Amino acid sequence: MKKEPFVTLEQLKEIDKTYPTPYHLYDEKGIRENAKRVKEAFAWNKGFREYFAVKATPNPFLINILREYGCGCDCSSMTELQMADALGFGGDEIMFSSNATPAEEYQFARQINATINLDDFTHIEFLEKCAGIPEKISCRYNPGGVFKMSNGIMDNPGDSKYGFTHEQIIEGFKILKEKGVKTFGLHAFLASNTVTNEYYPLLAKVLFELAVELKEKTGVAVKFINLSGGVGIDYRPEQEKNDIMVIGEGVRKVYEEVLMPAGMGDVALYTEMGRFMMGPYGCLVTKAIHQKHIYKEYIGCDACAANLMRPAIYGAYHHITVMGKDNSVCDHKYDVTGSLCENSDKFAIDRMLPKVDVGDFLVIHDTGAHGYSMGYNYNGKLRSAELLLKEDGTVQMIRRAETDRDYFATFDFCDILKDIKWRE
Ligand SMILES: *Cc1c(COP(=O)(O)O)cnc(C)c1O
């Protein structure tokens, strides 16, 4: 399907008067409509809750929008826990799914009563020593081997660092039960960015069957099952979008086939989607500031991989629209680059686009998740602003751009840079 930006050239020109490029822009209407659909897709499950994966887009304004649709927070670190807590989320609304977890993060998670999702068998003892075992806990399962889907997508849990093995999770449940845990949950994340409606139902089957087995072998009746993230989006125009209603129905079928007959019809389902909640509803807006003609044709942008890392590190495809040239033929082949001293700093390689002129706005699509949040300061680049395109068409700044003062702030303990010439 043709990928259309959610913003017009006229709107971008208007925004340009106040906010210079580059910036990440988010679409309030899209975020709301999608969050509503997610809620409806799982409405058949009484205890359903989506815990938004904060790491995908750690912006409190956006998290507060999702909250209106019942979403909680899935946190992976101290600062994410602090953000969720500061926004007033209660313990039941905060999931803490981390790995190689530092003691102080477990301690803080316990302090704010977040639900801890243990990544490893040895963390039972670690958690007990550093923070004590809570009454409610979840364990992350890794079935090992290869996880295959019918469209050829597969992932390799056996090669990933996460979770308990099958034996460990049975043993772990027994130990946790002895240590006084009353409420148990199960979690697994087996494949990433799955653009297929069958991922969640297949994963649900693995977890539901495990829950039944755990009940038989340990006497523990699991209270919640967390399908985690991994639901993908159509980064490429030729991909078919996931349909969350179909996904919800698929999970319901498996629930009725596996959990209901085992007398486990009261299990609450949780999800921890990041990409699916926010990915399509953000874009990176940048301007073409240079054209370079050597062995290939290059467009140099004012954004770089420090604003959006996915193409540079995964070779990920992000669709690009040259604004105002919608009806022009894509008869020019470009590498679209940022300014880092890194040859991987390319938003697109050999991409067919309409003729790009210096000053054109380029919209880089689907940067709403794992976009801004993966930003970094290499080459001394400063992180951009984040802006929200509201439903009424106005624009709200929801994070300011970094300044040189932010960049040098970590030398504020000494006066070695006291003669700096500030740029702002
Ligand atoms: C990254 C992550 C998510 C979110 O993944 P998406 O692919 O963005 O949906 C959810 N849960 C855990 C534990 C994660 O690490």
Side-chain angles (χ1 to χ4, degrees), residues 379-407:
N379 274 206
K381 295 292 176 181
L382 304 175
R383 287 183 190 80
S384 78
E386 292 183 289
L387 307 177
L388 180 64
L389 179 61
K390 311 250 282 182
E391 280 185 298
D392 64 8
T394 61
V395 168
Q396 180 189 1
M397 183 171 71
I398 55 173
R399 190 196 297 256
R400 68 161 171 81
E402 277 180 348
T403 68
D404 51 359
R405 286 176 197 272
D406 297 313
Y407 184 79

Side-chain angles (χ1 to χ4, degrees), residues 50-57 74-76 95-99 117 119 140 162 187-189 191-194 200 226-232 235 271-279 369-370:
E50 150 72 4
Y51 291 82
F52 175 62
V54 172
K55 72 163 195 255
T57 325
D74 169 44
C75 302
S76 65
M95 189 65 63
F96 183 43
S97 299
S98 66
N99 67 92
N117 182 30
D119 178 68
R140 182 168 182 166
Y162 307 107
H187 169 284
F189 190 149
S192 204
N193 190 27
T194 57
Y200 260 5
N226 185 341
L227 301 176
S228 186
V231 178
Y235 286 103
T271 55
E272 288 174 346
M273 293 181 281
R275 196 184 314 268
F276 189 80
M277 299 307 289
M278 210 55 90
H370 312 294

Side-chain angles (χ1 to χ4, degrees), residues 211-229:
V212 174
E213 184 187 354
L214 283 165
K215 191 177 172 190
E216 285 163 5
K217 295 194 173 155
T218 69
V220 167
V222 163
K223 280 285 174 261
F224 59 92
I225 291 180
N226 185 341
L227 301 176
S228 186

Side-chain angles (χ1 to χ4, degrees), residues 274-291:
R275 196 184 314 268
F276 189 80
M277 299 307 289
M278 210 55 90
Y281 316 110
C283 63
L284 175 60
V285 180
T286 179
K287 262 188 202 159
I289 55 172
H290 293 286
Q291 283 185 326

Side-chain angles (χ1 to χ4, degrees), residues 233-244:
I233 61 170
D234 49 327
Y235 286 103
R236 292 173 180 271
E238 67 272 18
Q239 282 177 309
E240 197 180 325
K241 271 189 208 322
N242 281 340
D243 183 337
I244 198 68

